[in-house]
Amino acid sequence: MKRLPLALLSLLPTLALAHTVAVVDMEAALANHPNTPNDRKTLETTLADYTKERDTLRADLERRMADLEKQRAEAQNPMLAPAKAEELRKTLEGRLRELQEAGRRAEAQMAQRSQTLSEMERSFINRTSKEIETHIAAYAKEKAIDVVLYKNATPYVKPDLDITDAIITRCGGTPPAKDAAKDGETLAPPAKPNFSLAPTAK
């Protein structure tokens, strides 16, 4: 069997990988998809509702704690008869347990709200990502593109291989102006909701 010339052997990996390749910036595609503004508005409205609910729960717990402290001070009045003082002490213990249980329920309620908000955001992203991927597949088929990679996972790519703007337009969005952001700039992460019932610092 004849051996292939060394020069030809060196070309075989290149020939094997001779595919048409393109890249897509999924963050940019998501940010400029028509779904995104309404999704963000829904998330912001939901977050505002949950924050109002948290503040109401916190204010109620703080009011009840203040009342309990006032009653505790009254129960420590040395002028009270021992029997009356003992009666007040037992009453306060019962109310304290009720307040602690109310606090646990409120914390669990707000933890559920936080989880719901996270799941809502995740469902929005997944839905829109699937829509974008469908358009990518159709575009690649039309343009005879063999492989489409995520731009953010690619160290370098020639600008003319970037089909992000075409995909954004195909999804019904408007590509961002080229000078609107520096190369490599990423979207700032969304603020995480804080549903803790602990008093905020003033």
Side-chain angles (χ1 to χ4, degrees):
M1 178 179 177
K2 291 178 107 179
R3 292 188 177 183
L4 291 173
L6 186 60
L8 183 56
L9 285 173
S10 66
L11 288 175
L12 287 178
T14 302
L15 293 173
L17 295 175
H19 298 294
T20 305
V21 179
V23 296
V24 170
D25 185 337
M26 283 297 289
E27 287 188 4
L30 280 167
N32 295 278
H33 193 282
N35 288 345
T36 300
N38 287 335
D39 290 348
R40 284 179 177 167
K41 185 176 181 180
T42 299
L43 290 169
E44 289 169 358
T45 300
T46 304
L47 176 59
D49 290 341
Y50 289 171
T51 300
K52 183 177 179 180
E53 182 180 5
R54 178 208 61 191
D55 291 345
T56 300
L57 288 170
R58 178 189 294 162
D60 180 63
L61 291 171
E62 290 176 350
R63 178 188 58 77
R64 292 173 65 179
M65 178 58 74
D67 290 343
L68 195 62
E69 289 297 332
K70 183 178 178 181
Q71 293 167 7
R72 190 198 305 273
E74 293 173 354
Q76 293 173 348
N77 186 343
M79 301 300 293
L80 286 176
K84 182 64 175 178
E86 178 64 15
E87 179 185 345
L88 288 175
R89 185 186 66 79
K90 290 182 178 180
T91 300
L92 287 172
E93 287 179 353
R95 290 179 178 174
L96 179 59
R97 286 193 296 269
E98 291 175 358
L99 183 57
Q100 290 171 338
E101 179 59 30
R104 285 190 288 269
R105 288 197 304 270
E107 287 286 0
Q109 182 174 334
M110 296 321 299
Q112 181 61 44
R113 296 290 186 267
S114 181
Q115 181 179 347
T116 298
L117 191 67
S118 296
E119 291 173 352
M120 184 184 299
E121 181 179 21
R122 187 161 51 249
S123 70
F124 287 160
I125 292 174
N126 288 342
R127 178 205 62 200
T128 303
S129 294
K130 288 179 181 178
E131 290 182 18
I132 294 171
E133 289 168 358
T134 298
H135 285 298
I136 290 172
Y139 183 87
K141 185 176 181 181
E142 290 175 10
K143 302 298 181 180
I145 298 172
D146 298 308
V147 180
V148 179
L149 305 173
Y150 290 128
K151 182 178 180 180
N152 296 353
T154 307
Y156 171 76
V157 63
K158 289 173 62 177
D160 57 352
L161 297 180
D162 188 342
I163 62 172
T164 303
D165 286 355
I167 297 302
I168 291 173
T169 300
R170 193 182 184 96
C171 290
T174 302
K178 291 301 180 184
D179 59 348
K182 297 179 181 178
D183 290 341
E185 184 177 353
T186 58
L187 295 174
K192 294 184 178 180
N194 175 18
F195 292 133
S196 172
L197 293 170
T200 53
K202 295 183 179 180

